[in-house]
Amino acid sequence: MISQASGEASGGASPRQGMAAWAEQLQRELAGRGLAVASVPGKGRGLVASRSFFPGEVIICQEPYASTPNRISVGSSCDHCFASGNLRKCSVCRVAWYCGSVCQKEEWKLHQLECQAISALTEERKKMLTPTICLMVKLILRRKLQSEKAIPSSATDNYDLVDALESHISKVDDNQLVLYAQMANLVQLILPSIELDLKEIAHTFSKFACNAHTICDPELRPLGTGLFPAISIINHSCVPNAVLLFEGRTAYVRALQPLSSYTEVSISYIETAATTLKRHNDLKQYFFTCTCTRCIKDSEEDALLEGYRCKDQKCDGFLLPDSGKKAYACQKCSISRDEEEIYMELQDWQTALMYCRMTIPVYERVYPPFHPMVGLQFYTCGKLEWLLEYTEDALKSLTRAADVLRITHGTQSQFMKELFGKLEEARAEVSFRLSSGDEQIL
């Protein structure tokens, strides 16, 4: 994440580090993947392709250097793989959760130290273990284990990459600085046996703010937070040529369009279905002003987005045609995707389908063709149509979903295999009906 206004690193490798040994190792590792860290005019450093990539191809993938689930106390997901089923709590610290013995063993060297530290805390202090605090504890313990050669490190998995990330601490306001200092002191209380530099810890908390990524499930529901130092080198664009998604806690960056050699790889750090003003406000936390082609061109697109935007200034939803009326209503204030899900939970499939179908045309206007939100909405529509036995409509929607999601999500995950299974089932049913002369009743 590189500042585009001043050329300072907003999250990527800091220019002050130069070509240290770790940087040379990183370059060699990336070269084997057809990538390079290069100086990008007006942005500082960025990730650049050194070969061609086709749409849907994985550009880079990375395990997090440190990660933590969002809700650590209630067992929302496994601490290692982020799965949500068959969870069991650590019997000692009563904080960590695992989906099975395999994940528990994978995490054991780190969790053994974490478990000892957490178990020594009072119940009141355990309540102060926010996800951000837990992320810092895991990061410190991982650095300790790697420095002691207890666990392996590599060119894309080492603390030097974290150390090289820009904190922008000089731009952080005083109130936030005080909070970072308080959080650093809490970390010291949790890890009293490790000698810590509290100033460095505070700086690392600042790095989290502009470098950590929200880990989501395939349907973009947040699961936790992770720090992916190599992926943090990738710069932002409001018209990105790549997309960042997750399988478990592993981050995958895939090409959204053909990329040729010497093309800079870009992802979006924010929700792109917004006006230039809204996008720039959302990017303030990264300490740069975007100057991509979308941000510097005329306001025609902003006028379109303003026309679709909810009239409530506090809401960032879109206006959709209001069923049965010659009017529009906000999809968040009145017929949001959340409400669509409520109707699904109530098994009111017909109403849920109506709202889903009304949302798709707006999504197609405000998002680029290969955007996960577009594909996911077609997938939801297809599943509802299948339940209601609108088989031919379901086939069309599932086909559209697969066309988009095979680019953004790849083809090998369990999520995509389930989509392909539903698509084949719909194709078989339509083929059977056609061969038997049975026409669908609309």
Side-chain angles (χ1 to χ4, degrees), residues 52-122:
S52 299
F53 288 88
F54 57 81
E57 185 177 0
V58 175
I59 297 172
I60 187 172
C61 66
Q62 186 180 26
E63 291 286 320
Y65 189 80
S67 63
T68 186
N70 277 341
R71 290 171 286 188
I72 57 173
S73 61
V74 296
S76 59
S77 55
C78 172
D79 270 42
H80 179 69
C81 72
F82 280 52
S84 58
N86 302 315
L87 298 177
R88 292 188 178 183
K89 187 186 295 186
C90 173
S91 59
V92 180
C93 70
R94 312 290 294 174
V95 171
W97 295 76
Y98 298 102
C99 65
S101 59
V102 174
C103 283
Q104 190 171 18
K105 288 176 182 177
E106 286 288 331
E107 284 284 298
W108 177 239
K109 286 186 178 179
L110 189 148
H111 183 62
Q112 184 177 25
L113 300 178
E114 179 187 40
C115 192
Q116 292 170 357
I118 293 174
S119 299
L121 299 176
T122 64

Side-chain angles (χ1 to χ4, degrees), residues 230-245:
I231 287 176
S232 291
I233 297 169
I234 301 174
N235 284 327
H236 163 85
S237 174
C238 297
V239 281
N241 55 27
V243 63
L244 169 64
L245 289 173

